């Protein structure tokens, strides 16, 4: 009497889903690698362009991202923002984001990183220009994470400690509108804060490496399932 062996439904379905998911993750990593390549090319192209004015950046909106920019304005030394949990060289600190009043409107300028005091309840001593000054930097369009909950309260206490760069929410605290982008000051600007901007945190090559890992895992899962079924069929035949 011959007994026909059939594939187990549960293990077959689990293996199929695992292979599909891992293969999809590999394709997603390749897509991310291509996006990073395009971004790096855009950054290189923007870096050799002539600096924008605030008026030109206002016209370009999101298309002004990564372009150099120059502006002249008065920084608000009393009312500014501190972006929390920013790490540089293994140390925790804040990024100092200051409203600067210009003839074209108010714009948020990121002056750079400052180390946090030893006690969490204390805030760093921030020194800002008290006269109108000229600034050079590049345009940044911040992306907000909806999962991050802000802790800053709507009151008269300054500076405001924020969890992320949210221009709309910062405008509510400041009770004045801001231009729809942020200026990251150039490293050579004469301001005593660390500016080590990284527009692309993970390079394309790393995404490709992750994609290869996902493809290999999918292949390994499939091969393992096939060999396990062959051994099962062999045992049943014997």
């Amino acid at each position: 009497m011959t007994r026909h062996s059939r594939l187990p439904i549960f293990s077959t379905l689990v293996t199929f889903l695992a292979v599909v998911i891992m293969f999809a993750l590999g394709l997603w990593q390749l897509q991310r690698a291509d996006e990073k390549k395009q971004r790096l090319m855009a950054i290189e192209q923007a870096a050799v362009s002539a600096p924008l004015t605030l008026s030109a950046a206002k016209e370009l909106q999101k298309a002004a991202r990564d372009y150099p920019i120059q502006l002249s304005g008065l920084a608000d030394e009393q009312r500014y923002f501190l972006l929390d949990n920013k790490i540089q060289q293994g140390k925790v600190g804040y990024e100092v984001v200051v409203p600067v009043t210009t003839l074209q409107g108010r714009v948020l300028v990121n002056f750079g990183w400052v180390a946090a005091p030893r006690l969490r309840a204390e805030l760093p001593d921030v020194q800002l220009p008290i006269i109108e000054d000229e600034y050079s930097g590049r345009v940044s369009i911040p992306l907000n994470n909806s999962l991050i909950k802000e802790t800053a309260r709507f009151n008269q206490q300054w500076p405001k400690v924020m969890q992320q760069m949210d221009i709309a929410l910062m405008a509510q605290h400041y009770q004045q509108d801001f231009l729809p982008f942020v200026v990251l000051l150039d490293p050579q600007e004469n301001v005593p804060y660390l500016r080590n901007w990284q527009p692309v945190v993970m390079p394309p090559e790393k995404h490709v490496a992750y994609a290869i890992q996902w493809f290999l895992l999918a292949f390994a899962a499939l091969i393992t399932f096939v060999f396990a079924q062959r051994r099962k069929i062999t045992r049943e035949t014997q």
Side-chain angles (χ1 to χ4, degrees):
M1 181 177 178
T2 303
R3 186 168 64 180
H4 297 282
S5 177
R6 294 189 300 179
L7 292 176
I9 297 177
F10 180 75
S11 60
T12 302
L13 181 60
V14 170
T15 302
F16 175 77
L17 289 176
V19 170
V20 170
I21 290 173
M22 288 186 285
F23 190 79
L25 288 172
L27 292 178
W28 177 69
Q29 288 291 346
L30 290 179
Q31 180 182 357
R32 293 288 293 155
D34 185 64
E35 292 174 355
K36 292 294 180 65
K37 289 179 182 178
Q38 297 295 329
R39 179 76 195 282
L40 289 173
M41 290 175 59
I43 292 173
E44 291 179 2
Q45 181 180 1
V48 298
S49 302
L52 298 175
T53 63
L54 277 180
S55 298
K58 287 171 61 178
E59 292 292 331
L60 290 173
Q61 295 286 326
K62 291 184 179 180
R65 182 185 189 186
D66 297 320
Y67 274 79
I69 189 170
Q70 291 180 341
L71 61 108
S72 177
L74 179 62
D76 192 335
E77 60 170 334
Q78 299 297 328
R79 297 190 298 167
Y80 56 89
F81 302 90
L82 296 173
L83 296 185
D84 201 1
N85 296 318
K86 300 298 181 181
I87 300 176
Q88 291 286 348
Q89 300 174 355
K91 297 181 180 179
V92 179
Y94 304 88
E95 287 182 6
V96 182
V97 181
V98 185
V100 175
T101 302
T102 74
L103 294 177
Q104 291 75 31
R106 291 178 179 83
V107 61
L108 291 169
V109 177
N110 194 328
F111 276 58
W113 180 88
V114 60
R118 187 172 59 88
L119 298 178
R120 178 65 178 174
E122 298 179 358
L123 293 178
D125 182 24
V126 174
Q127 302 294 326
L128 296 170
I130 60 175
I131 60 174
E132 185 171 338
D133 205 349
E134 295 185 355
Y135 301 99
S136 297
R138 63 179 179 83
V139 178
S140 173
I141 308 295
L143 300 176
N144 297 330
N145 187 344
S146 59
L147 299 178
I148 296 179
K149 295 183 178 180
E150 287 293 351
T151 57
R153 297 180 179 180
F154 287 93
N155 53 35
Q156 300 302 315
Q157 295 182 357
W158 290 88
K160 299 289 184 184
V161 178
M162 308 288 291
Q163 303 306 311
Q164 65 176 337
M165 180 72 74
D166 189 330
I167 296 178
L169 185 58
M170 289 173 166
Q172 294 180 31
H173 281 285
Y174 199 72
Q175 297 183 346
Q176 296 285 344
D177 290 333
F178 295 123
L179 298 179
F181 53 82
V182 178
V183 175
L184 307 179
L185 284 190
D186 287 338
Q188 62 267 26
E189 280 289 303
N190 188 24
V191 180
Y193 303 110
L194 180 61
R195 290 179 296 281
N196 183 24
W197 312 123
Q198 293 182 331
V200 175
V201 177
M202 186 181 295
E205 295 78 13
K206 205 160 190 177
H207 285 288
V208 173
Y210 284 146
I212 294 174
Q213 289 180 4
W214 283 119
F215 292 144
L216 290 177
L217 286 173
F219 181 73
L222 184 60
I223 293 299
T224 301
F225 175 78
V226 171
F227 272 95
Q229 295 308 311
R230 288 187 63 182
R231 292 181 61 183
K232 179 175 178 293
I233 292 173
T234 301
R235 288 198 303 267
E236 291 178 354
T237 302
Q238 293 175 350

